[in-house]
Amino acid sequence: MLRRTFVLGITRAALFAVSASLLTVGALAADVVTVAGNGTKGFVAGEHVATETPIGEPYGIAKGPDGQLYICEIAAHVVRKLDEKTGKLTLVAGNGTKGYAGDGGPATSAQLNEPYEVRFDQEGNVFFVEMKNHIVRRVDKQTGKISTVAGTGQPGFTGDGGPATQAKLNIPHSIALDHQNRLYICDIGNHRVRVVDLKTGIISTFAGNGEKKPTPDGAKIDGAPLNGPRALDFDGKHSLYLALREGNAVYRIDLMTQTLQHLAGIGKSGYAGDGGPAKAATLAGPKGIALGPTGDIYLADTESHTIRVIRQKTGVIETLVGDGKKGDGPDGAPRSCRTARPHGVYCDNVGNVYIGDSENHRVRRILDAATK
């Protein structure tokens, strides 16, 4: 037990850091805890204690090279970051006003329109996709200035073979970057994955033929249909992992063979199959995907209100958080902690799984003991 003199003398931020550390390594490590958001939708400018602050529908989440957790808030039209050591939220991009403005200036003064997912290149520059603006933007690590790297701001399908900033995207959602300076974009409305060579700025279609049909196992990426390519993650080697929203399935894209390999989902919407092969399970509109340190695949199975995991060693699917019913927690036992249409999921290199619990306006965390 902490001594009273210590508690009276400690700052709130330091106490938060001690508590977070105990949760990570102690007996409660496998419990779900809220790390950001007070359950109300909103945005307050400035630096604030994360668990006491409104956040606006957290979607994509990811840790940056600085170790901080970046959070896309679609209702607040901002990207913020959480320092878990201090428990504080600070602004990265957006001024809280919906729009498309500010390129060339400070990212924190720019107008965004529903930033959905955030990623980083090897230099630490921040990339995020704005679905309602049909663009991908970049925040320079050194200057903090914002620019558009893909899209014109208008929906459509044009521009392959030319500059990405002159090409049209159609409700893009997810992005991923590989080690070759390539930016991959889930171009949902066009049922394609597009790719931008960041060295040349040229965009092209990487996967998908525009058709909303089932994807055959083993199909070549250039001619395969993709039904609602929604979420992407890169394994750091030679594979991308892709979740199909309308297709209710997960595929691995082998960058060496340029083929799609079926990993999960039978193509029908539902919440079934836990404890068995992921390929035989039903998924419910997965909208987030993340790779864990041991190769496990985490899914924000949005319409079942759960976080599910596909174990790399066995191919078995499990539910990590939730019971299939919509709700708001309570924090604690993972299967008893309900979520409300989660869109974001991220797993760090020690097995902490972060959840963008979207309609509860919270970011939650659980340590997946199975990664140890």
Side-chain angles (χ1 to χ4, degrees):
M1 180 178 296
L2 296 172
R3 293 181 180 178
R4 178 174 296 181
T5 53
F6 177 72
V7 174
L8 290 175
I10 195 170
T11 65
R12 176 185 287 175
L15 184 58
F16 182 96
V18 172
S19 299
S21 176
L22 289 173
L23 283 170
T24 301
V25 301
L28 299 179
D31 281 358
V32 179
V33 295
T34 294
V35 296
N38 63 5
T40 61
K41 179 169 65 174
F43 171 67
V44 181
E47 185 179 81
H48 299 279
V49 176
T51 53
E52 298 177 4
T53 305
I55 58 176
E57 290 188 56
Y59 270 47
I61 49 180
K63 278 191 177 178
D66 57 3
Q68 300 198 33
L69 185 72
Y70 289 68
I71 305 166
C72 292
E73 301 177 40
I74 70 158
H77 309 289
V78 297
V79 179
R80 289 192 280 187
K81 63 181 179 180
L82 168 65
D83 185 333
E84 290 187 273
K85 294 179 180 178
T86 66
K88 296 292 186 67
L89 275 175
T90 56
L91 191 62
V92 174
N95 62 13
T97 302
K98 180 172 70 174
Y100 179 25
D103 275 4
T108 51
S109 299
Q111 292 180 350
L112 317 181
N113 193 351
E114 298 196 6
Y116 270 56
E117 193 166 83
V118 60
R119 293 287 189 262
F120 310 87
D121 66 14
Q122 294 182 81
E123 286 73 44
N125 300 302
V126 182
F127 290 75
F128 57 87
V129 58
E130 296 176 51
M131 191 175 99
K132 292 298 180 69
N133 276 337
H134 314 283
I135 58 172
V136 180
R137 294 170 100 172
R138 173 185 181 273
V139 179
D140 187 274
K141 176 186 177 183
Q142 300 299 328
T143 67
K145 291 184 177 181
I146 192 169
S147 59
T148 298
V149 296
T152 65
Q154 298 297 319
F157 176 58
T158 63
D160 274 2
T165 52
Q166 297 177 21
K168 289 184 178 180
L169 309 173
N170 192 359
I171 55 173
H173 177 272
S174 183
I175 53 176
L177 291 107
D178 67 13
H179 293 335
Q180 305 299 319
N181 257 339
R182 290 183 293 232
L183 169 71
Y184 300 87
I185 306 167
C186 278
D187 198 2
I188 305 172
N190 289 319
H191 302 283
R192 291 173 167 89
V193 176
R194 316 271 295 270
V195 61
V196 180
D197 184 330
L198 294 175
K199 295 177 183 177
T200 64
I202 301 299
I203 192 171
S204 59
T205 292
F206 171 73
N209 60 11
E211 295 181 325
K212 295 176 60 176
K213 295 180 179 179
T215 305
D217 192 7
K220 287 288 185 179
I221 59 172
D222 56 356
L226 298 175
N227 191 0
R230 182 63 181 242
L232 272 175
D233 201 11
F234 176 56
D235 71 351
K237 299 176 183 177
H238 49 73
S239 295
L240 290 168
Y241 289 78
L242 173 67
L244 303 180
R245 180 183 63 182
E246 289 87 356
N248 293 295
V250 175
Y251 285 81
R252 183 174 77 88
I253 301 176
D254 189 313
L255 298 176
M256 305 296 289
T257 64
Q258 303 279 288
T259 57
L260 288 141
Q261 299 172 0
H262 178 228
L263 299 179
I266 61 173
K268 295 181 179 179
S269 180
Y271 175 48
D274 276 2
K279 289 182 179 181
T282 52
L283 308 178
K287 296 180 177 67
I289 191 167
L291 271 291
T294 61
D296 292 343
I297 305 166
Y298 296 86
L299 300 175
D301 201 34
T302 305
E303 307 307 335
S304 72
H305 313 290
T306 61
I307 301 299
R308 302 173 81 179
V309 57
I310 303 163
R311 300 300 181 190
Q312 187 271 336
K313 292 182 180 179
T314 63
V316 167
I317 191 168
E318 307 168 6
T319 294
L320 186 65
V321 177
D323 62 0
K325 297 180 181 179
K326 188 176 183 179
D328 184 4
D331 283 358
R335 294 302 303 275
S336 299
C337 180
R338 291 177 174 172
T339 66
R341 302 192 71 242
H343 282 71
V345 64
Y346 174 81
C347 185
D348 68 16
N349 59 8
V350 297
N352 287 305
V353 179
Y354 295 83
I355 304 163
D357 193 355
S358 306
E359 294 186 2
N360 285 325
H361 314 295
R362 302 180 190 273
V363 176
R364 293 183 146 111
R365 182 190 70 211
I366 177 176
L367 177 65
D368 184 9
T371 64
K372 299 300 181 182

